[in-house]
Amino acid sequence: MNAPWLESLPLLADGLLITLQVTLLASLVALLLAAAAGLARLSRYAIIRGIATGYVELFRSCSLLVLLFWVYFALPFLGIELSKVTAAVLAIGLNIGAYGAEIVRSSIKAIPSGQHEAGIALNLSPNERMLRIILPQAAARMLPPFGNLLIELLKSTSLVYFITLSDLTYEAMVIRNNYYTWTPQIFGSLLIIYFILSSCVFVTFRLLERKLTAWR
Amino acid sequence: MWNWDYVNDLLPSLLKAFGVTLGATIAGFLLSIVIGLVFAVAARSSIGPVRWIVRAVVEFIRSTPLLVQLFFLYFSLPMLTPFAMPAFITGIIGLGLHYGTYMSEVFRSGIDAVPTGQWEASTALHLSKRKTWLSVILPQALPPVIPVMGNYLIVIFKETPTLSAITVVELLLTAKSEASITYRVFEPYTLAGLLFLVTSLLFSFGIRLLERRYFGTKQLTGGGKR
């Protein structure tokens, strides 16, 4: 089988690196935001709850692609100029973080109140209760939905193609311009690469879940 | 900074494009329901290979980006098959297929919630498979998952800007081309963002109202956990 476009595979490898970089950085941003906003939504201070709820509602209701356009193309008019990677990481992180906050909140709320009361009975401080009793149990509940969310994040990194950041999808389009007749093979391979990446995330989270729930 | 005259010039074309966005949303949503139902029922087929293939297809579509699927449908299919579809139709099929796999998970959770006794009763009454699904199982499985379906309506709505990649002239692409005429990008992108924001907030408010009114206060979740 003679497929000349395969000579361009190094380009796809470069794109893969960018995709992985954006995925990793954006998931860090999203995780931090999710933890902060998720905990803040359970705060006893109405103002903190209000701010967190505002963040979650705002960024869950906004279309990610429009947000990305806005951050990259419109923000410079307000004097804030961001690099492509920063804009992508920020937009994806803000968007996925809002969904993650809901996972954090609902997982913590799902812990039976008896656990909380037992912590009080044992005279643990509020911080100890949260860190040593509630969170370890909530974390086990959070894992499967967080795994799904990370797959959503990975998929959404393909949108950086729109701001011409040279990720996997962008490089595939470049290769396609050079080897037009191989279009189906190029996009087919691209789909398979994304599927393999998602499967890696899925398997990793399955293993993590098994580890975190070993005490059960 | 913010120029209201420019906004006035922009609004008619943006609102017109918003109609295309809404059209794609509704058509994609309806198609995703049909495809989701087919997948959900086929995943419970009594023929093993049918079950495996459907599950593999659902898993594959769920694990790959909508954008790449759209590229594949729009640029590759005409080369592999004799069919060439317009961008708008391709976009709707892409949305329907992608979210059909999510929808099938929603339906699956609804079908799983129907008590086994209902299946056994249908067998006892000697109902055909078709009759069992249409008159016994689905009428009980679907109503409880309507709010979750509503959430996916919002998700699909927010994903429609992706269709601009295959030249569907929806809201975002219109904002982009307006911006490229005047080199003023702030107003068009901000207006597009606001339109999306306000509409999806209204949608979700409506769904919450519907949920509270017809479905009690019980929070329904579907398709989240695997």
Side-chain angles (χ1 to χ4, degrees):
Chain A
M1 195 181 87
N2 185 24
W5 72 275
L6 287 174
E7 283 167 23
S8 305
L9 270 187
L11 270 183
L12 272 191
D14 293 346
L16 178 65
L17 278 182
I18 299 279
T19 294
L20 291 178
Q21 188 195 355
V22 173
T23 304
L24 205 68
L25 292 174
S27 50
L28 280 178
V29 173
L31 191 63
L32 284 177
L33 283 170
L39 288 173
R41 286 200 78 180
L42 297 166
S43 165
R44 68 188 116 145
Y45 303 108
I47 179 127
I48 296 180
R49 280 203 309 271
I51 294 171
T53 308
Y55 159 69
V56 170
E57 288 293 318
L58 183 67
F59 284 95
R60 282 206 319 174
S61 307
C62 193
S63 167
L64 172 57
L65 186 54
V66 179
L67 180 66
L68 184 64
F69 265 67
W70 200 82
V71 169
Y72 186 66
F73 294 114
L75 266 191
F77 277 71
L78 297 178
I80 304 168
E81 216 155 317
L82 301 171
S83 73
K84 286 174 190 172
V85 175
T86 317
V89 167
L90 194 66
I92 298 174
L94 279 168
N95 181 267
I96 301 285
Y99 287 93
E102 283 300 274
I103 297 176
V104 171
R105 186 184 67 99
S106 62
S107 307
I108 291 177
K109 278 195 90 172
I111 303 300
S113 59
Q115 298 288 327
H116 189 76
E117 287 151 14
I120 297 175
L122 290 170
N123 207 14
L124 296 177
S125 72
N127 279 339
E128 277 177 319
R129 283 203 303 266
M130 188 48 106
L131 287 175
R132 307 189 53 176
I133 310 275
I134 309 292
L135 275 185
Q137 300 181 60
R141 275 176 198 266
M142 285 177 210
L143 269 185
F146 261 129
N148 285 344
L149 196 61
L150 188 53
I151 293 177
E152 292 298 320
L153 188 150
L154 170 73
K155 283 158 55 183
S156 70
T157 60
S158 66
L159 297 179
V160 303
Y161 157 82
F162 283 92
I163 59 166
T164 64
L165 178 57
S166 50
D167 75 322
L168 260 178
T169 308
Y170 184 86
E171 297 290 7
M173 282 305 260
V174 172
I175 298 173
R176 174 182 172 263
N177 284 339
N178 297 335
Y179 301 98
Y180 184 75
T181 47
W182 294 89
T183 302
Q185 287 88 338
I186 293 168
F187 286 137
S189 313
L190 189 59
L191 283 172
I192 291 169
I193 294 173
Y194 275 109
F195 178 69
I196 293 171
L197 291 178
S198 302
S199 306
C200 289
V201 173
F202 180 69
V203 170
T204 310
F205 271 77
R206 263 291 156 85
L207 292 177
L208 269 177
E209 196 191 340
R210 198 172 294 171
K211 209 158 188 188
L212 268 188
T213 52
W215 49 270
R216 271 186 189 160
Chain B
M1 177 74 257
W2 183 266
N3 187 341
W4 281 107
D5 291 335
Y6 183 36
V7 170
N8 272 339
D9 289 346
L10 281 173
L11 268 182
S13 65
L14 287 187
L15 286 178
K16 202 176 143 209
F18 193 56
V20 177
T21 292
L22 287 180
T25 305
I26 290 165
F29 178 64
L30 294 178
L31 186 61
S32 76
I33 292 176
V34 174
I35 292 178
L37 268 180
V38 171
F39 280 157
V41 172
R44 278 185 159 258
S45 158
S46 52
I47 307 158
V50 172
R51 280 200 310 269
W52 305 328
I53 290 170
V54 167
R55 280 182 193 162
V57 168
V58 166
E59 209 50 51
F60 189 81
I61 296 177
R62 268 172 74 102
S63 306
T64 51
L66 173 65
L67 177 63
V68 182
Q69 292 165 3
L70 288 173
F71 282 151
F72 188 84
L73 288 175
Y74 191 61
F75 295 121
S76 308
L77 270 195
M79 301 175 77
L80 296 171
T81 61
F83 309 109
M85 293 174 295
F88 187 69
I89 304 288
T90 312
I92 288 167
I93 292 176
L95 282 174
L97 257 182
H98 193 85
Y99 287 100
T101 61
Y102 287 77
M103 222 49 117
S104 78
E105 290 286 302
V106 175
F107 294 144
R108 194 180 58 90
S109 70
I111 293 168
D112 287 349
V114 175
T116 340
Q118 300 290 323
W119 292 94
E120 289 160 359
S122 307
T123 314
L125 290 171
H126 203 61
L127 296 181
S128 68
K129 259 187 191 163
R130 201 186 129 86
K131 194 108 192 167
T132 306
W133 275 111
L134 291 180
S135 319
V136 181
I137 303 302
L138 289 182
Q140 298 182 76
L142 296 188
V145 298
I146 289 175
V148 189
M149 288 164 67
N151 286 338
Y152 277 106
L153 175 66
I154 303 177
V155 174
I156 292 173
F157 170 66
K158 290 186 298 180
E159 284 294 313
T160 50
T162 313
L163 304 196
S164 65
I166 55 167
T167 70
V168 176
V169 189
E170 46 65 67
L171 186 53
L172 186 66
L173 192 59
T174 309
K176 194 176 169 184
S177 52
E178 290 287 347
S180 68
I181 297 169
T182 54
Y183 293 107
R184 285 198 57 100
V185 300
F186 192 75
E187 286 90 346
Y189 288 148
T190 307
L191 282 174
L194 285 175
L195 270 173
F196 272 104
L197 196 66
V198 170
T199 314
S200 50
L201 280 174
L202 281 177
F203 268 151
S204 65
F205 181 71
I207 289 165
R208 260 176 238 176
L209 221 63
L210 183 111
E211 202 175 347
R212 208 162 293 162
R213 180 131 188 210
Y214 294 102
F215 300 90
T217 45
K218 188 175 65 169
Q219 194 72 39
L220 283 155
T221 48
K225 274 190 186 176
R226 289 189 191 217

